[in-house]
Amino acid sequence: DVVESQEHYKSRWRSIWIMYLTMFLSSVGFSIVIMSVWPYLQKIDPTADASFLGWIIASYSIGQMVASPLFGLWSNHRPRREPLVISTAISVAANCLYAYVHVPHAHNKYYMLTARALVGFGAGKHCRIYISGNCYILCLLTSAMANTSACQAVGFILGPVFQTCFTLIGEEGVTWKFLCLQLNMYTTPVLFGALLGVINIILIFAIFREHRVDDMGRQYKSINSDGEGSDVLDQNTEGSIDHVAVVALNVLFFVILFVFAVFETIATPLTMDMYSWTRKEAVFYNGIILSVIGIESVIVFMVVKTLSKKTGERAILHAGLLIVLVGFFILLPWGKKLPNIQWQEIKNSSIPRTAPSEMLAPFWSLPELQLPSNHTAEPVGCPVTQSWCLNTPMIYLAQYISSDVLIGLGYPVCNVMSYTLYSKVLGPKPQGVYMGWLTASGSGARILGPVFVSQIYTHLGPRWAFSLICGVVVVSLLLLEIVYKRLIAFSVRYGRMQE
């Protein structure tokens, strides 16, 4: 066996930590605007509706789905620094474009759509490919993947926190006329994300190096090695990959990302409809809620690293899907109380928000009468154009928060277990293309999820939307039962190691 030198070991782990940081910065750049997309879209283009919001959210994943296989193929044959730097640079440029979507006099929503698609294209990089190849030792892989997901989760925590802080700037903010730039609660976060991207590129050039180890921890030379390390073993790739397990994990990952995309997309419109929150309130309160959920996710990642050693990844993935199922089941509307109705034709903000509904519903089903807290002309409540608002019970805040907690518990479990099992099934084979397809399946879920929920929610309401989600999760649980025994590590499958 070739013994890994101390310098090689240190260099390898410095590069892994750069990938952790890259995941963190990438997730901050994504989540720092997710809660403000809907109110910003309403502000720059009044013609945009909730259905178009679904396309805005999905455009990020469309770009990522197109880019992921390409960057995966690139990383299989060239030094991985190249796709990492190029993809990050594309994200930086796209964030700058997003900050200027308010400038054109027409079709602003389409400029926002383009900007988000390009941000997604830049997010097609594969940090987990490098981490899995750089730390494939089976006893360490779950921990490394959990650390990666934890860094990603911390980014999702701090993103909404930064967004919440930026709300203090307000919707008007400061205008720099010589740059045609408005620094407000919507544009400042993306510019901050662009700055983080530039820092990331500098660190990749300065610290990142290419190394590979096999499932026994021995160094070997990768087909895309750029000469960093010469005394290495030839890669042992005897045996074929279990493609049934690969396809099944792609499907399961699709479902996991699909339900989470539904959750993050619908949060702002749902709370604005159900609790009569203004645009600014929805961004602020949901930012706080998602930050707390992010902290919960980090704790889950740390626990999973220890728990998986006792129960195995498959059992934990099963439990995570069950928790997600319960979370969406709780979110179904119950009771008789209706949400406050937004009557567009009412201009006088001194009129109670739900007074006209007294003529349309019996007294026992009416929401409590409320006066606008901010005394502005901004309409609040459930739009009367959504016909289900007149007969669908509201989702109580306690339901919403309980569901957030459960989904925040189940999703990170499913996410890290999916990546870990997938990497173990692939083994020491080059994982670039395979990981590209896994990312593409997740991106496909992020495309269909927002479009699905925005259409179903707008036209049929939350009862239909969340019932269908519960059905999708049940089907995924059945699939997991069918392929359960095939989700084993490559080395275990060929008898080189015991499970």
Side-chain angles (χ1 to χ4, degrees):
D1 292 353
V2 176
V3 179
E4 183 179 27
S5 67
Q6 186 70 14
E7 181 57 35
H8 179 274
Y9 176 84
K10 291 180 180 179
S11 176
R12 183 163 62 86
W13 276 100
R14 281 196 298 266
S15 298
I16 290 176
W17 279 100
I18 289 298
M19 291 300 95
Y20 289 163
L21 181 63
T22 300
M23 289 297 295
F24 167 75
L25 296 179
S26 179
S27 61
V28 168
F30 171 77
S31 64
I32 200 170
V33 301
I34 194 64
M35 288 294 103
S36 64
V37 169
W38 175 234
Y40 189 36
L41 180 62
Q42 289 180 309
K43 179 180 177 64
I44 66 170
D45 197 332
T47 65
D49 56 13
S51 296
F52 196 83
L53 170 67
W55 289 107
I56 292 286
I57 302 297
S59 64
Y60 176 94
S61 299
I62 292 174
Q64 190 179 46
M65 184 176 66
V66 172
S68 292
L70 299 178
F71 284 126
L73 184 62
W74 189 353
S75 66
N76 268 1
H77 298 282
R78 294 288 301 167
R80 290 183 178 131
R81 184 188 288 116
E82 294 177 6
L84 283 172
V85 170
I86 295 300
S87 59
T88 305
I90 292 172
S91 293
V92 170
N95 277 328
C96 294
L97 173 62
Y98 185 94
Y100 281 93
V101 296
H102 64 280
V103 174
H105 298 292
H107 309 299
N108 303 76
K109 61 183 181 182
Y110 296 109
Y111 291 105
M112 180 183 285
L113 185 75
T114 302
R116 290 301 294 172
L118 288 174
V119 171
F121 191 91
K125 52 183 172 285
H126 300 287
C127 299
R128 286 184 174 90
I129 297 176
Y130 181 79
I131 292 172
S132 62
N134 218 2
C135 189
Y136 185 71
I137 310 172
L138 292 182
C139 61
L140 299 178
L141 185 57
T142 301
S143 178
M145 287 296 180
N147 290 339
T148 306
S149 297
C151 291
Q152 189 177 31
V154 172
F156 280 118
I157 293 172
L158 294 182
V161 170
F162 290 140
Q163 173 70 83
T164 301
C165 294
F166 287 130
T167 59
L168 300 176
I169 301 175
E171 289 192 327
E172 298 304 323
V174 179
T175 301
W176 290 354
K177 293 183 178 180
F178 66 97
L179 292 176
C180 297
L181 178 64
Q182 290 183 0
L183 290 178
N184 54 34
M185 60 181 282
Y186 304 121
T187 61
T188 307
V190 294
L191 294 174
F192 181 72
L195 175 62
L196 294 179
V198 172
I199 295 173
N200 193 14
I201 291 173
I202 294 173
L203 291 175
I204 290 173
F205 272 117
I207 301 175
F208 181 83
R209 298 293 182 270
E210 182 79 17
H211 300 293
R212 294 298 300 268
V213 293
D214 66 7
D215 52 6
M216 299 298 294
R218 300 171 300 182
Q219 182 186 2
Y220 66 79
K221 188 170 184 177
S222 173
I223 59 175
N224 60 344
S225 174
D226 53 2
E228 293 162 347
S230 56
D231 296 329
V232 292
L233 295 169
D234 291 332
Q235 183 180 4
N236 182 5
T237 58
E238 294 180 2
S240 60
I241 294 173
D242 186 347
H243 287 94
V244 173
V246 168
V247 171
L249 283 170
N250 271 276
V251 173
L252 290 172
F253 190 69
F254 175 91
V255 172
I256 293 164
L257 269 292
F258 179 86
V259 297
F260 189 74
V262 168
F263 170 73
E264 66 183 4
T265 301
I266 205 61
T268 300
L270 179 69
T271 52
M272 291 175 70
D273 291 346
M274 293 293 160
Y275 314 124
S276 300
W277 289 351
T278 63
R279 292 192 297 265
K280 188 172 182 178
E281 289 171 342
V283 171
F284 182 81
Y285 295 138
N286 279 302
I288 294 175
I289 292 172
L290 287 182
S291 299
V292 174
I293 292 174
I295 296 172
E296 175 193 14
S297 298
V298 173
I299 296 173
V300 169
F301 289 132
M302 297 301 103
V303 172
V304 160
K305 291 196 295 184
T306 303
L307 190 61
S308 64
K309 297 177 182 178
K310 300 180 180 179
T311 63
E313 289 85 2
R314 295 174 296 179
I316 296 178
L317 176 59
H318 193 281
L321 285 170
L322 285 174
I323 294 172
V324 170
L325 175 61
V326 174
F328 275 99
F329 182 79
I330 289 177
L331 205 54
L332 292 171
W334 303 101
K336 297 181 179 180
K337 186 177 181 180
L338 298 178
N340 294 328
I341 305 299
Q342 177 191 130
W343 297 88
Q344 296 283 358
E345 67 272 17
I346 295 179
K347 303 298 183 182
N348 186 355
S349 63
S350 65
I351 299 178
R353 294 174 181 172
T354 57
S357 62
E358 293 177 356
M359 299 179 290
L360 300 175
F363 68 92
W364 58 82
S365 64
L366 288 177
E368 295 180 4
L369 299 183
Q370 298 180 356
L371 290 174
S373 58
N374 54 2
H375 297 283
T376 67
E378 179 183 343
V380 292
C382 200
V384 71
T385 53
Q386 296 177 166
S387 58
W388 57 264
C389 291
L390 299 175
N391 51 44
T392 300
M394 72 177 295
I395 297 172
Y396 293 95
L397 186 60
Q399 283 180 266
Y400 178 68
I401 294 177
S402 299
S403 176
D404 287 350
V405 171
L406 289 173
I407 295 172
L409 174 62
Y411 169 73
V413 168
C414 295
N415 183 280
V416 69
M417 291 301 105
S418 297
Y419 275 115
T420 303
L421 285 169
Y422 196 70
S423 186
K424 287 187 175 183
V425 167
L426 294 178
K429 301 281 188 178
Q431 298 188 4
V433 175
Y434 284 102
M435 280 290 185
W437 287 118
L438 184 68
T439 304
S441 68
S443 300
R446 287 187 175 275
I447 294 169
L448 295 180
V451 174
F452 164 84
V453 73
S454 61
Q455 296 294 329
I456 299 298
Y457 177 82
T458 300
H459 297 101
L460 299 177
R463 180 170 286 163
W464 271 95
F466 300 138
S467 295
L468 290 173
I469 291 298
C470 289
V472 169
V473 178
V474 168
V475 172
S476 69
L477 283 166
L478 294 176
L479 174 61
L480 179 58
E481 288 295 328
I482 294 172
V483 300
Y484 195 85
K485 294 183 178 179
R486 306 187 71 137
L487 303 182
I488 56 177
F490 185 92
S491 298
V492 174
R493 184 178 180 226
Y494 288 99
R496 298 172 193 164
M497 298 183 67
Q498 291 185 349
E499 189 172 10

